[in-house]
Amino acid sequence: MAAKKKITLNRRNVVSRIVRDRGHVLIVTGLGSTTWDAAAAGDHPNNFYLWGGMGGAAVTGLGLARAQPGRRVIVLTGDGEMLMGIGSLATIGVAAPPNLAICVIDNQRYGETGMQETHTGHGVDLAAMAAGAGFAHTETVWTKKDVESAIPHLYETEGPVFVDIKVNTDYVPMVLPMRDGTAIRSRFREAVLGDRAFD
Amino acid sequence: MAATKKKTTAKWPAQIFKTLKDADIGQISYVPDAGHADLIKACLADNRIKTTRLTTEEEGIALALGAWLGGERSALLMQSSGVGNCINMLSIIQETRSPLLMLVTMRGEWGEFNPWQIPMGQGTAKALEDAGVIVYHVEVADELPETVYAASQIAFNSYRPVAVLIGQRVIGFKDWRK
């Protein structure tokens, strides 16, 4: 098992920093904490918030990235959510979308169910698994400086890109975005497709 | 044997492929099945259809949502045993009222030899219906193209999940005595 390193990054600071540069990027968030993080960083019509379908965030991003090859797609999700859809790393590695980046906000916990430990605190290295699946760029981030150097990879490096960011378990207030699935999808589709959203 | 595998001579895979093209399907995702072999081959050979091989069927549900969010129609191919893997993920289609077109080749019914296929095969239609999916079960090959087209129309025009179950009677079952 890997030696324990000290984790200092705060999830809200990390997510706010990442989305600050968002421009026209499309963001899919995985159920639970990353959906709250994205809401806390500022609601946006180009955010698609998942409140369910655990394990489906990365592949939702894949379907979107393939449908919109001219747009950058970033999936922000948690370690527990990613682990539940771990096979999707192989699916994305083979599909090899150049415009897709997966960013795991990894607190090594199931945050919505009582902060039980996930596998990532017990030696499972998600970035190594993504590398093994054929992702073009993978890394694990532990420091503020490394967050800065990872951001251009999330936005620009030819994908698929996988960045796992280790964050601490400090308390953050709950910030909830809209939760009506039909409203979220209609707003997102209108932002992406314009009038064609209602064909 | 009259009731053995028909897949080498069957016309329906090519007909379904043409139907999917007519329905403007831009993405296909799949977990392979012998019954879908020819259709998968046709999709892989068409460079205007983006194909995604999945490790498990529920990925295809999320993929279909993502594709449609991006303005592209898709279809998901699987065997009936994969339907059980999809149940929770179907909730994202229901809650967002998004279209989903599933083409499911059946095992565990007409002439099945493997008893381990029976539980999921016999529960496939009920499981899908309980998850809110509109189900068409086709037992006659000639009805397949029209059914798939009708399913695509209801899926994409009324924003609903629809599954076409392609019966084992259509596919032909394996004669294990040979």
Side-chain angles (χ1 to χ4, degrees):
Chain A
M1 214 172 92
K4 299 266 185 203
K5 277 199 213 177
K6 192 165 164 49
I7 299 173
T8 57
L9 292 169
N10 171 282
R11 60 183 310 130
R12 289 286 162 82
N13 294 342
V14 167
V15 172
S16 293
R17 174 64 193 92
I18 291 169
V19 304
R20 198 178 80 194
D21 295 343
R22 64 180 299 154
H24 293 100
V25 163
L26 305 174
I27 295 179
V28 174
T29 65
L31 89 171
S33 302
T34 48
T35 284
W36 325 148
D37 293 336
D43 185 33
H44 197 289
N46 286 351
N47 286 356
F48 185 78
Y49 306 112
L50 282 160
W51 282 69
M54 186 163 175
V59 188
T60 301
L62 174 62
L64 176 61
R66 298 200 97 175
Q68 289 287 326
R71 303 285 294 266
R72 188 74 170 186
V73 175
I74 297 178
V75 174
L76 288 174
T77 193
D79 45 305
E81 207 277 345
M82 188 70 247
L83 284 162
M84 193 168 283
I86 199 69
S88 57
L89 292 180
T91 296
I92 293 166
V94 169
N99 58 330
L100 178 64
I102 311 291
C103 181
V104 173
I105 305 299
D106 180 2
N107 66 351
Q108 308 184 350
R109 298 286 194 286
Y110 292 102
E112 299 308 299
T113 57
M115 296 298 271
Q116 298 90 347
E117 293 178 348
T118 68
H119 306 57
T120 62
H122 292 270
V124 171
D125 182 338
L126 291 174
M129 293 176 89
F135 275 61
H137 174 87
T138 66
E139 64 179 304
T140 303
V141 167
W142 298 81
T143 66
K144 212 170 160 181
K145 186 168 153 268
D146 290 345
V147 171
E148 291 302 322
S149 64
I151 285 172
H153 291 300
L154 288 174
Y155 283 98
E156 287 154 28
T157 297
E158 184 166 323
V161 167
F162 187 96
V163 176
D164 185 282
I165 304 180
K166 295 288 184 181
V167 297
N168 64 30
T169 55
D170 289 356
Y171 170 79
V172 290
M174 188 87 101
V175 179
L176 303 180
M178 58 201 297
R179 69 177 185 281
D180 175 349
T182 56
I184 297 167
R185 68 87 148 143
S186 293
R187 185 179 74 154
F188 184 88
R189 273 172 52 90
E190 188 175 16
V192 177
L193 304 168
D195 290 345
R196 200 160 72 81
F198 305 106
D199 280 355
Chain B
M1 279 296 296
T4 51
K5 276 190 180 280
K6 299 168 189 166
K7 77 181 178 74
T8 49
T9 52
K11 291 192 186 99
W12 61 266
Q15 291 168 335
I16 289 182
F17 178 71
K18 187 180 176 303
T19 303
L20 294 176
K21 298 285 285 183
D22 291 345
D24 197 23
I25 300 296
Q27 293 195 39
I28 294 280
S29 68
Y30 63 93
V31 174
D33 181 44
H36 274 319
D38 291 346
L39 180 55
I40 291 169
K41 215 178 285 172
C43 293
L44 288 169
D46 187 320
N47 57 18
R48 278 174 304 172
I49 289 186
K50 300 161 193 165
T51 55
T52 303
R53 72 196 72 217
L54 309 167
T55 67
T56 178
E57 291 81 359
E58 66 265 37
E59 292 173 6
I61 309 290
L63 189 91
L65 175 61
W68 189 72
L69 288 173
E72 205 157 64
R73 294 178 171 196
S74 68
L76 167 57
L77 316 183
M78 70 176 77
Q79 181 189 117
S80 51
S81 48
V83 165
N85 295 342
C86 294
I87 303 303
N88 183 55
M89 203 59 78
L90 284 165
S91 65
I92 70 177
I93 299 292
Q94 288 285 25
E95 173 49 27
T96 60
R97 239 195 82 199
S98 297
L100 174 69
L101 178 60
M102 304 165 76
L103 305 183
V104 180
T105 46
M106 292 302 296
R107 290 291 307 269
E109 47 166 37
W110 186 265
E112 181 63 60
F113 171 84
N114 181 350
W116 299 62
Q117 288 281 356
I118 301 293
M120 192 63 236
Q122 289 299 309
T124 297
K126 279 181 281 187
L128 286 167
E129 282 165 358
D130 281 353
V133 177
I134 298 166
V135 176
Y136 299 106
H137 197 157
V138 180
E139 297 278 8
V140 181
D142 289 349
E143 292 175 4
L144 265 173
E146 191 183 9
T147 306
V148 170
Y149 189 71
S152 71
Q153 296 309 293
I154 191 169
F156 295 107
N157 292 334
S158 3
Y159 322 108
R160 291 293 195 291
V162 184
V164 177
L165 308 187
I166 302 172
Q168 207 161 351
R169 193 172 187 178
V170 173
I171 299 160
F173 60 87
K174 203 183 248 177
D175 187 344
W176 290 80
R177 292 174 304 180
K178 290 216 244 177

